[in-house]
Amino acid sequence: MAFLLLLADIESKSWVKQLKIHEPQLDLRLWPNTGPVEEIDFVLAWRPPPGELARYPKLRCIASLGAGVDHLLRDPDLPAAVPVTRVVDASMAQSMSEYVVMAVLNWCRHMPRYARQQQERRWQVHVPRQASSTGVGIMGLGQLGGAAARHLVALGFDVAGWSTGPKQIAGVRSYIGEAQLGAFLGRTDILVCLLPLTERTRGILDARLFAGVRPGAYLINCARGEHLQEADLLAALDSGQLAGACLDVFVTEPLPPEHPFWRHPSITVTPHTASLTHPRAVVPRLIENYRRVMAGLAPLDQIDRLRGY
Amino acid sequence: MAFLLLLADIESKSWVKQLKIHEPQLDLRLWPNTGPVEEIDFVLAWRPPPGELARYPKLRCIASLGAGVDHLLRDPDLPAAVPVTRVVDASMAQSMSEYVVMAVLNWCRHMPRYARQQQERRWQVHVPRQASSTGVGIMGLGQLGGAAARHLVALGFDVAGWSTGPKQIAGVRSYIGEAQLGAFLGRTDILVCLLPLTERTRGILDARLFAGVRPGAYLINCARGEHLQEADLLAALDSGQLAGACLDVFVTEPLPPEHPFWRHPSITVTPHTASLTHPRAVVPRLIENYRRVMAGLAPLDQIDRLRGY
């Protein structure tokens, strides 16, 4: 009846605190100090080493610490019969929406230019891009993309979304699948990636995609670094087909100091901060799932392994 | 029956174009080439030299090019009997709301810190300030302040407003007058100034006000430079009572190169760009007023000279 906290590269302290608050009797183990592997029933994981989760023969649920599960599904030895859950939390949608709205407004209102002008003590006005005539295209209209879309509609932007199936969001034009990708890109001034990372979406932000958006478009990637072909972005910025990018996620995190993105004048870098998982917000649901599994019930918020999210 | 365009320091070209589109027969004069002063009936003015408007004996309406009229009322020789109008335009409220939302989000999401970290190629995460526990206090809940308040409520912020009279805006706590100023400030983490500039509000952003907000608060001024006691802001930043400021307006514009705000690490400077008046958006209403005045009717959007806005 033990609960394993398996966090490869994040601090466990506030997770332990919240888990103890919500389930004082919890038999909590902190990886790698697992005790006997056959005692582990439930694991809360972030970026486990490949093969690690196959070591627990009695495992009944694998809970992803984030909204994404790519860090679990990339493991070829992930136990096939164990349900996988992800975090579905309104505070993550809120946090992601704030980031997207902020990045969109900073671009429309020329804040990168004004930051450079401030360093040069130069006073020069640039006419803002008007929300109503700025096409924002959101790739991925799930919980996070849908919330961001609603906030941008409320601010008057001309919002469209691209997804695998049709989505009904007031004021948002929905484009579906490969067949409608060209039409979606052709009306996009600001491209926002909020897709799940799957084998189909890996590297999707590439030269072909950038060639389809309106000239001088802006890219916002707050999904996963692996969505982006980094060399293709640099080439599109060089050619002017893209005018800039705001990136929160990278193939290698932390972004290495020698990486060209840090010093590129048209790229804004943030350290994977668009949507943090707050222990206080998500632990109650995790404990609910732990109790369900212990009682023989199926956990909530399961992902579809075939779909990949 | 002549219409005078009197623009001291802004480009007239797009104004002329829009006026001719909407009233092709207009007898348009471009200051200082006015022709005989007794022919001028209507003036559209931005920052006229003091005394200038007293030179036109047949003037029937003075239209401010902006939402503010302080640039007119500061003239002691402003003709007392001539109605003064201001721009009341939804696109200005939209533009101002975008700026305020952007400045609030940039602060909550630590964008000034991340910009510095990017220059140092340093990857370090800072926990965002949560919208629901961030008190935004808006001074001035008129057309512009009210619109900004609604957008911040939609994003989940804890919004209050301070004004001379009570205001009913869903989700916004209303504080009124000098008696409730202390209570308003005491719940404020982010102070937004959108007041009209009058004799009562000149210099209102001073040491006494800064002492009343929550320690480490942030200031956003997008009203008029004269609202702010600049030396008091620098002192409050030095002491840490304020943690930063985003300023769009200044006592002297353009902000002189030697001004300390340009290089202050905690101040973001933008060049009076929060809410621009778009000729295309506001000329139809100006022409409507011109026709009303020519027909002997009172113009719309008149200001109250005693109140000052």
Side-chain angles (χ1 to χ4, degrees), chain A residues 22 43 48 67 88 92 104 113 128 140 144 167 196 201 210 213 227 234 236 257 259 268 271 283 300 302 307:
Chain A
H22 288 276
V43 62
V88 179
M92 294 188 70
V104 165
R113 289 170 100 164
L144 301 180
K167 301 278 180 176
T201 66
F210 300 148
V213 296
H227 285 119
L234 293 171
H259 197 288
T268 296
V283 160
L300 307 171
Q302 285 191 50
R307 202 175 59 167

Side-chain angles (χ1 to χ4, degrees), chain A residues 239-257:
Chain A
S239 76
Q241 173 61 12
L242 292 186
C246 179
L247 306 176
D248 187 54
V249 289
F250 306 90
V251 173
T252 306
E253 295 179 5
L255 190 64

